[in-house]
mmCIF file of all heavy atoms in Angstrom:
data_model
loop_
_atom_site.group_PDB
_atom_site.id
_atom_site.type_symbol
_atom_site.label_atom_id
_atom_site.label_comp_id
_atom_site.label_asym_id
_atom_site.label_seq_id
_atom_site.Cartn_x
_atom_site.Cartn_y
_atom_site.Cartn_z
ATOM 1 N N LYS A 114 -26.391 -9.479 -10.073
ATOM 2 C CA LYS A 114 -25.614 -10.285 -11.035
ATOM 3 C C LYS A 114 -25.376 -9.483 -12.318
ATOM 4 O O LYS A 114 -24.279 -9.514 -12.891
ATOM 5 C CB LYS A 114 -26.352 -11.589 -11.342
ATOM 6 C CG LYS A 114 -26.461 -12.447 -10.085
ATOM 7 C CD LYS A 114 -26.623 -13.924 -10.402
ATOM 8 C CE LYS A 114 -26.380 -14.747 -9.150
ATOM 9 N NZ LYS A 114 -27.575 -15.219 -8.500
ATOM 10 N N GLU A 115 -26.413 -8.763 -12.742
ATOM 11 C CA GLU A 115 -26.270 -7.938 -13.956
ATOM 12 C C GLU A 115 -25.216 -6.853 -13.756
ATOM 13 O O GLU A 115 -24.485 -6.501 -14.679
ATOM 14 C CB GLU A 115 -27.602 -7.245 -14.272
ATOM 15 C CG GLU A 115 -28.585 -8.116 -14.989
ATOM 16 C CD GLU A 115 -29.849 -7.345 -15.349
ATOM 17 O OE1 GLU A 115 -30.119 -6.278 -14.738
ATOM 18 O OE2 GLU A 115 -30.561 -7.809 -16.219
ATOM 19 N N TYR A 116 -25.171 -6.299 -12.543
ATOM 20 C CA TYR A 116 -24.210 -5.215 -12.257
ATOM 21 C C TYR A 116 -22.775 -5.740 -12.385
ATOM 22 O O TYR A 116 -21.919 -5.106 -13.001
ATOM 23 C CB TYR A 116 -24.475 -4.656 -10.858
ATOM 24 C CG TYR A 116 -23.937 -3.254 -10.653
ATOM 25 C CD1 TYR A 116 -24.548 -2.171 -11.268
ATOM 26 C CD2 TYR A 116 -22.826 -3.017 -9.853
ATOM 27 C CE1 TYR A 116 -24.070 -0.882 -11.091
ATOM 28 C CE2 TYR A 116 -22.341 -1.726 -9.667
ATOM 29 C CZ TYR A 116 -22.969 -0.662 -10.286
ATOM 30 O OH TYR A 116 -22.494 0.612 -10.113
ATOM 31 N N GLU A 117 -22.541 -6.910 -11.806
ATOM 32 C CA GLU A 117 -21.218 -7.537 -11.927
ATOM 33 C C GLU A 117 -20.866 -7.746 -13.400
ATOM 34 O O GLU A 117 -19.745 -7.473 -13.826
ATOM 35 C CB GLU A 117 -21.215 -8.902 -11.221
ATOM 36 C CG GLU A 117 -21.224 -8.828 -9.711
ATOM 37 C CD GLU A 117 -19.831 -8.665 -9.125
ATOM 38 O OE1 GLU A 117 -18.855 -9.176 -9.716
ATOM 39 O OE2 GLU A 117 -19.713 -8.022 -8.058
ATOM 40 N N GLN A 118 -21.844 -8.238 -14.167
ATOM 41 C CA GLN A 118 -21.595 -8.528 -15.587
ATOM 42 C C GLN A 118 -21.310 -7.237 -16.348
ATOM 43 O O GLN A 118 -20.446 -7.199 -17.225
ATOM 44 C CB GLN A 118 -22.802 -9.265 -16.183
ATOM 45 C CG GLN A 118 -22.543 -9.857 -17.556
ATOM 46 C CD GLN A 118 -21.340 -10.818 -17.609
ATOM 47 O OE1 GLN A 118 -21.211 -11.689 -16.747
ATOM 48 N NE2 GLN A 118 -20.440 -10.637 -18.585
ATOM 49 N N ALA A 119 -22.015 -6.170 -15.984
ATOM 50 C CA ALA A 119 -21.812 -4.887 -16.685
ATOM 51 C C ALA A 119 -20.384 -4.382 -16.461
ATOM 52 O O ALA A 119 -19.766 -3.805 -17.370
ATOM 53 C CB ALA A 119 -22.836 -3.863 -16.193
ATOM 54 N N ILE A 120 -19.853 -4.597 -15.264
ATOM 55 C CA ILE A 120 -18.463 -4.173 -14.987
ATOM 56 C C ILE A 120 -17.502 -4.975 -15.879
ATOM 57 O O ILE A 120 -16.589 -4.417 -16.497
ATOM 58 C CB ILE A 120 -18.112 -4.357 -13.487
ATOM 59 C CG1 ILE A 120 -18.965 -3.429 -12.624
ATOM 60 C CG2 ILE A 120 -16.627 -4.100 -13.245
ATOM 61 C CD1 ILE A 120 -18.812 -3.640 -11.118
ATOM 62 N N ILE A 121 -17.753 -6.266 -15.970
ATOM 63 C CA ILE A 121 -16.895 -7.114 -16.822
ATOM 64 C C ILE A 121 -17.009 -6.661 -18.279
ATOM 65 O O ILE A 121 -16.011 -6.501 -18.976
ATOM 66 C CB ILE A 121 -17.300 -8.609 -16.682
ATOM 67 C CG1 ILE A 121 -16.983 -9.090 -15.258
ATOM 68 C CG2 ILE A 121 -16.606 -9.480 -17.721
ATOM 69 C CD1 ILE A 121 -17.591 -10.425 -14.890
ATOM 70 N N ASN A 122 -18.248 -6.431 -18.729
ATOM 71 C CA ASN A 122 -18.460 -6.029 -20.137
ATOM 72 C C ASN A 122 -17.753 -4.714 -20.463
ATOM 73 O O ASN A 122 -17.342 -4.481 -21.598
ATOM 74 C CB ASN A 122 -19.952 -5.874 -20.444
ATOM 75 C CG ASN A 122 -20.687 -7.206 -20.359
ATOM 76 O OD1 ASN A 122 -20.053 -8.259 -20.276
ATOM 77 N ND2 ASN A 122 -22.009 -7.159 -20.349
ATOM 78 N N ALA A 123 -17.624 -3.851 -19.452
ATOM 79 C CA ALA A 123 -16.961 -2.556 -19.676
ATOM 80 C C ALA A 123 -15.435 -2.705 -19.668
ATOM 81 O O ALA A 123 -14.713 -1.729 -19.870
ATOM 82 C CB ALA A 123 -17.407 -1.557 -18.614
ATOM 83 N N GLY A 124 -14.952 -3.896 -19.363
ATOM 84 C CA GLY A 124 -13.503 -4.123 -19.371
ATOM 85 C C GLY A 124 -12.873 -4.018 -17.987
ATOM 86 O O GLY A 124 -11.654 -3.978 -17.865
ATOM 87 N N GLY A 125 -13.700 -3.951 -16.946
ATOM 88 C CA GLY A 125 -13.167 -3.849 -15.573
ATOM 89 C C GLY A 125 -12.891 -2.404 -15.208
ATOM 90 O O GLY A 125 -12.815 -1.526 -16.077
ATOM 91 N N ILE A 126 -12.748 -2.176 -13.915
ATOM 92 C CA ILE A 126 -12.585 -0.806 -13.411
ATOM 93 C C ILE A 126 -11.102 -0.425 -13.389
ATOM 94 O O ILE A 126 -10.274 -1.155 -12.847
ATOM 95 C CB ILE A 126 -13.230 -0.698 -12.012
ATOM 96 C CG1 ILE A 126 -14.752 -0.852 -12.164
ATOM 97 C CG2 ILE A 126 -12.846 0.595 -11.306
ATOM 98 C CD1 ILE A 126 -15.519 -0.946 -10.877
ATOM 99 N N ASP A 127 -10.779 0.705 -13.998
ATOM 100 C CA ASP A 127 -9.382 1.169 -14.013
ATOM 101 C C ASP A 127 -8.997 1.769 -12.672
ATOM 102 O O ASP A 127 -7.909 1.521 -12.161
ATOM 103 C CB ASP A 127 -9.196 2.232 -15.103
ATOM 104 C CG ASP A 127 -9.271 1.635 -16.478
ATOM 105 O OD1 ASP A 127 -8.468 0.741 -16.777
ATOM 106 O OD2 ASP A 127 -10.167 2.041 -17.246
ATOM 107 N N LEU A 128 -9.877 2.603 -12.140
ATOM 108 C CA LEU A 128 -9.554 3.282 -10.874
ATOM 109 C C LEU A 128 -10.810 3.302 -10.010
ATOM 110 O O LEU A 128 -11.857 3.796 -10.451
ATOM 111 C CB LEU A 128 -9.072 4.713 -11.140
ATOM 112 C CG LEU A 128 -8.560 5.497 -9.937
ATOM 113 C CD1 LEU A 128 -7.577 6.577 -10.387
ATOM 114 C CD2 LEU A 128 -9.681 6.150 -9.132
ATOM 115 N N GLN A 129 -10.712 2.735 -8.822
ATOM 116 C CA GLN A 129 -11.846 2.715 -7.899
ATOM 117 C C GLN A 129 -11.580 3.697 -6.761
ATOM 118 O O GLN A 129 -10.616 3.558 -6.011
ATOM 119 C CB GLN A 129 -12.012 1.304 -7.311
ATOM 120 C CG GLN A 129 -13.126 1.188 -6.266
ATOM 121 C CD GLN A 129 -14.502 1.431 -6.865
ATOM 122 O OE1 GLN A 129 -14.902 0.742 -7.796
ATOM 123 N NE2 GLN A 129 -15.223 2.425 -6.346
ATOM 124 N N LEU A 130 -12.441 4.705 -6.663
ATOM 125 C CA LEU A 130 -12.359 5.649 -5.530
ATOM 126 C C LEU A 130 -13.071 5.035 -4.340
ATOM 127 O O LEU A 130 -14.162 4.496 -4.487
ATOM 128 C CB LEU A 130 -13.109 6.922 -5.877
ATOM 129 C CG LEU A 130 -12.390 8.087 -6.496
ATOM 130 C CD1 LEU A 130 -13.387 9.233 -6.641
ATOM 131 C CD2 LEU A 130 -11.219 8.525 -5.637
ATOM 132 N N LEU A 131 -12.477 5.205 -3.165
ATOM 133 C CA LEU A 131 -13.095 4.652 -1.955
ATOM 134 C C LEU A 131 -12.998 5.639 -0.807
ATOM 135 O O LEU A 131 -11.962 6.312 -0.644
ATOM 136 C CB LEU A 131 -12.373 3.365 -1.530
ATOM 137 C CG LEU A 131 -12.445 2.164 -2.476
ATOM 138 C CD1 LEU A 131 -11.357 1.160 -2.128
ATOM 139 C CD2 LEU A 131 -13.816 1.513 -2.417
ATOM 140 N N GLY A 132 -14.056 5.711 -0.005
ATOM 141 C CA GLY A 132 -13.949 6.292 1.326
ATOM 142 C C GLY A 132 -13.884 5.121 2.290
ATOM 143 O O GLY A 132 -13.910 3.958 1.870
ATOM 144 N N ILE A 133 -13.812 5.407 3.562
ATOM 145 C CA ILE A 133 -13.803 4.315 4.546
ATOM 146 C C ILE A 133 -14.732 4.690 5.692
ATOM 147 O O ILE A 133 -14.755 5.840 6.136
ATOM 148 C CB ILE A 133 -12.356 4.020 5.032
ATOM 149 C CG1 ILE A 133 -12.337 2.866 6.048
ATOM 150 C CG2 ILE A 133 -11.678 5.246 5.608
ATOM 151 C CD1 ILE A 133 -10.918 2.370 6.378
ATOM 152 N N GLY A 134 -15.514 3.727 6.141
ATOM 153 C CA GLY A 134 -16.386 3.974 7.284
ATOM 154 C C GLY A 134 -15.589 3.966 8.580
ATOM 155 O O GLY A 134 -14.483 3.408 8.630
ATOM 156 N N SER A 135 -16.130 4.559 9.623
ATOM 157 C CA SER A 135 -15.387 4.594 10.900
ATOM 158 C C SER A 135 -15.227 3.185 11.470
ATOM 159 O O SER A 135 -14.395 2.959 12.344
ATOM 160 C CB SER A 135 -16.081 5.525 11.904
ATOM 161 O OG SER A 135 -17.362 5.025 12.191
ATOM 162 N N ASN A 136 -16.001 2.213 10.972
ATOM 163 C CA ASN A 136 -15.828 0.816 11.400
ATOM 164 C C ASN A 136 -15.026 0.001 10.377
ATOM 165 O O ASN A 136 -14.983 -1.219 10.455
ATOM 166 C CB ASN A 136 -17.188 0.158 11.634
ATOM 167 C CG ASN A 136 -18.024 0.072 10.356
ATOM 168 O OD1 ASN A 136 -17.611 0.568 9.316
ATOM 169 N ND2 ASN A 136 -19.181 -0.545 10.443
ATOM 170 N N GLY A 137 -14.410 0.690 9.413
ATOM 171 C CA GLY A 137 -13.544 0.000 8.451
ATOM 172 C C GLY A 137 -14.266 -0.524 7.223
ATOM 173 O O GLY A 137 -13.669 -1.235 6.417
ATOM 174 N N HIS A 138 -15.555 -0.153 7.037
ATOM 175 C CA HIS A 138 -16.216 -0.665 5.825
ATOM 176 C C HIS A 138 -15.708 0.067 4.580
ATOM 177 O O HIS A 138 -15.299 1.221 4.651
ATOM 178 C CB HIS A 138 -17.756 -0.604 5.946
ATOM 179 C CG HIS A 138 -18.368 0.753 5.892
ATOM 180 N ND1 HIS A 138 -19.381 1.147 6.740
ATOM 181 C CD2 HIS A 138 -18.154 1.829 5.079
ATOM 182 C CE1 HIS A 138 -19.747 2.385 6.442
ATOM 183 N NE2 HIS A 138 -19.011 2.819 5.445
ATOM 184 N N ILE A 139 -15.718 -0.634 3.459
ATOM 185 C CA ILE A 139 -15.538 -0.002 2.148
ATOM 186 C C ILE A 139 -16.714 -0.449 1.287
ATOM 187 O O ILE A 139 -17.184 -1.576 1.425
ATOM 188 C CB ILE A 139 -14.183 -0.328 1.469
ATOM 189 C CG1 ILE A 139 -13.870 -1.821 1.506
ATOM 190 C CG2 ILE A 139 -13.063 0.477 2.088
ATOM 191 C CD1 ILE A 139 -12.629 -2.204 0.703
ATOM 192 N N GLY A 140 -17.159 0.436 0.361
ATOM 193 C CA GLY A 140 -18.503 0.210 -0.161
ATOM 194 C C GLY A 140 -19.377 0.150 1.086
ATOM 195 O O GLY A 140 -19.130 0.845 2.078
ATOM 196 N N PHE A 141 -20.356 -0.715 1.077
ATOM 197 C CA PHE A 141 -21.083 -0.936 2.338
ATOM 198 C C PHE A 141 -20.850 -2.357 2.828
ATOM 199 O O PHE A 141 -21.760 -3.037 3.277
ATOM 200 C CB PHE A 141 -22.558 -0.596 2.185
ATOM 201 C CG PHE A 141 -22.853 0.853 2.457
ATOM 202 C CD1 PHE A 141 -23.629 1.597 1.585
ATOM 203 C CD2 PHE A 141 -22.355 1.483 3.591
ATOM 204 C CE1 PHE A 141 -23.901 2.939 1.831
ATOM 205 C CE2 PHE A 141 -22.614 2.825 3.843
ATOM 206 C CZ PHE A 141 -23.389 3.551 2.975
ATOM 207 N N ASN A 142 -19.605 -2.795 2.741
ATOM 208 C CA ASN A 142 -19.224 -4.107 3.242
ATOM 209 C C ASN A 142 -18.826 -3.958 4.697
ATOM 210 O O ASN A 142 -17.748 -3.441 5.013
ATOM 211 C CB ASN A 142 -18.067 -4.663 2.419
ATOM 212 C CG ASN A 142 -18.476 -4.886 0.979
ATOM 213 O OD1 ASN A 142 -19.118 -5.883 0.666
ATOM 214 N ND2 ASN A 142 -18.154 -3.932 0.111
ATOM 215 N N GLU A 143 -19.723 -4.391 5.564
ATOM 216 C CA GLU A 143 -19.566 -4.172 6.994
ATOM 217 C C GLU A 143 -18.688 -5.262 7.626
ATOM 218 O O GLU A 143 -18.499 -6.333 7.030
ATOM 219 C CB GLU A 143 -20.951 -4.177 7.655
ATOM 220 C CG GLU A 143 -21.891 -3.085 7.139
ATOM 221 C CD GLU A 143 -21.576 -1.700 7.722
ATOM 222 O OE1 GLU A 143 -20.390 -1.378 7.934
ATOM 223 O OE2 GLU A 143 -22.529 -0.937 7.958
ATOM 224 N N PRO A 144 -18.145 -4.978 8.830
ATOM 225 C CA PRO A 144 -17.307 -5.968 9.506
ATOM 226 C C PRO A 144 -17.974 -7.341 9.583
ATOM 227 O O PRO A 144 -19.189 -7.433 9.754
ATOM 228 C CB PRO A 144 -17.123 -5.374 10.909
ATOM 229 C CG PRO A 144 -17.203 -3.895 10.673
ATOM 230 C CD PRO A 144 -18.245 -3.730 9.597
ATOM 231 N N THR A 145 -17.151 -8.339 9.432
ATOM 232 C CA THR A 145 -17.454 -9.786 9.458
ATOM 233 C C THR A 145 -18.053 -10.303 8.150
ATOM 234 O O THR A 145 -18.285 -11.495 8.021
ATOM 235 C CB THR A 145 -18.356 -10.248 10.648
ATOM 236 O OG1 THR A 145 -19.688 -9.789 10.413
ATOM 237 C CG2 THR A 145 -17.841 -9.778 11.990
ATOM 238 N N GLY A 146 -18.293 -9.419 7.184
ATOM 239 C CA GLY A 146 -18.737 -9.907 5.866
ATOM 240 C C GLY A 146 -17.574 -10.591 5.154
ATOM 241 O O GLY A 146 -16.405 -10.398 5.503
ATOM 242 N N SER A 147 -17.887 -11.381 4.143
ATOM 243 C CA SER A 147 -16.860 -12.121 3.410
ATOM 244 C C SER A 147 -15.888 -11.172 2.716
ATOM 245 O O SER A 147 -16.297 -10.178 2.111
ATOM 246 C CB SER A 147 -17.527 -13.003 2.353
ATOM 247 O OG SER A 147 -16.575 -13.383 1.388
#
Side-chain angles (χ1 to χ4, degrees):
K114 296 204 166 102
E115 279 184 340
Y116 202 72
E117 287 275 328
Q118 192 56 47
I120 295 173
I121 293 168
N122 294 349
I126 292 173
D127 289 301
L128 186 155
Q129 177 65 58
L130 267 184
L131 295 163
I133 181 170
S135 63
N136 63 356
H138 71 223
I139 48 173
F141 272 132
N142 296 280
E143 299 283 36
T145 72
S147 162

